[in-house]
Amino acid sequence: MTFPGKFTDSFVADSLSKVSLSFLVDGLEIRRGGNGANIAFGMAVLGLEPILVVSVGKDWEDYRSWLSRHGVNTDHVYNCEHLYTASFMVTTDQELNQIASFFPGAMSAAREIEIAPIVEKTGKFDLMIVSPDDPQGMVRHSDELRQLGIPFAADPSQQMAVMSGEDIKRLIVGAKFLFLNEYELALTLQKTGWSDQELFDQVEVRITTLGEKGSRIEEHGKEPIYVPAPVEKQKVDPTGIGDCYRSGFIAGLSWGLSYERCAQIGSMLATYCIETMGTQEYRFTANEFCERFGQAYGEEARGEIAGKLISKLG
């Protein structure tokens, strides 16, 4: 939903202990979403063949058809036929601030999903992203991935608010990659009691998104890499841009590119997302993506991704 004003105009500084607000919105869009599905969709758009591992409800079939048609493997989705699929409801104001509510629904069954049987059927995963899901399921899956020796990326994101410090620790320890934004980084330190260095020591690579400033990639023994964000044509909707960043970053990993290039691809895909209403409605050809990528990051960068992307998308 879109609110044609500013949320902050309705907040009274001395009355925030009791808030009862209603916003008259002037737009309603019903879109497909979900962190895991968004990330998988973005990877598929870039020519990868991601396997989606989530729990869904009785209203899943239309979404399944959409994702399958766009290249996402949905064969290992866990269907809870007596529940509805999780839903996220968000209102965005004219400054792109957001107020949201989340209904978990079938998501709570994610803790029942076992990774090992899926690996037996598909082959060992190159990398698994533990993105926002049922908190117990997230912790359980990271435990299982460590036992199976499968590299994983910890992406706690929106679930940081409800997870305890101990659960956050269990999720993060041993991750190959850790994705956070600036606020989530601060919240992680607060909840775990770790220092910044102690947190960094738990993972191989830490990627922190910095909003319009881009992102920072930290790897042990090396200087941090700062990657600026491309200039967007317009800011339409920020929902899903973090998921797109992860999709692009992982696509770059699959192509054997440097972390800097991975972050640039992620930033470019996120830019397409913010220019579009909805999290899976952006479109481009390989040549269009490469042209904008070159404008943002130079011809050398463009040359490094062009062959990879064109071979995948034609």
Side-chain angles (χ1 to χ4, degrees), residues 258-292:
S258 67
Y259 292 147
E260 180 179 20
R261 289 286 180 267
C262 292
Q264 291 170 345
I265 297 167
S267 295
M268 189 73 257
L269 194 63
T271 300
Y272 272 102
C273 184
I274 201 173
E275 295 171 347
T276 309
M277 179 60 68
T279 61
Q280 298 178 21
E281 277 67 30
Y282 51 89
R283 297 290 182 273
F284 50 78
T285 66
N287 285 331
E288 288 170 344
F289 190 96
C290 290
E291 181 178 352
R292 287 194 66 181

Side-chain angles (χ1 to χ4, degrees), residues 257 261 264 286-310:
L257 301 178
R261 289 286 180 267
Q264 291 170 345
N287 285 331
E288 288 170 344
F289 190 96
C290 290
E291 181 178 352
R292 287 194 66 181
F293 193 80
Q295 291 171 356
Y297 299 114
E299 283 304 306
E300 182 179 346
R302 179 188 182 281
E304 285 191 33
I305 75 159
K308 306 286 187 180
L309 193 57
I310 293 173

Side-chain angles (χ1 to χ4, degrees), residues 24-85:
L24 182 64
V25 299
D26 63 1
L28 170 64
E29 297 282 346
I30 300 175
R31 302 285 184 179
R32 301 174 181 90
N35 296 99
N38 288 341
I39 294 170
F41 180 88
M43 292 167 65
V45 164
L46 292 172
L48 278 68
E49 300 175 353
I51 298 171
L52 181 63
V53 181
V54 294
S55 54
V56 299
K58 54 187 175 182
D59 51 347
W60 160 247
E61 184 55 31
D62 177 69
Y63 201 174
R64 182 206 62 76
S65 177
W66 165 268
L67 290 171
S68 297
R69 183 159 55 87
H70 286 86
V72 177
N73 183 332
T74 61
D75 294 343
H76 305 282
V77 166
Y78 181 64
N79 200 323
C80 306
E81 297 183 353
H82 62 291
L83 295 170
Y84 285 101
T85 303

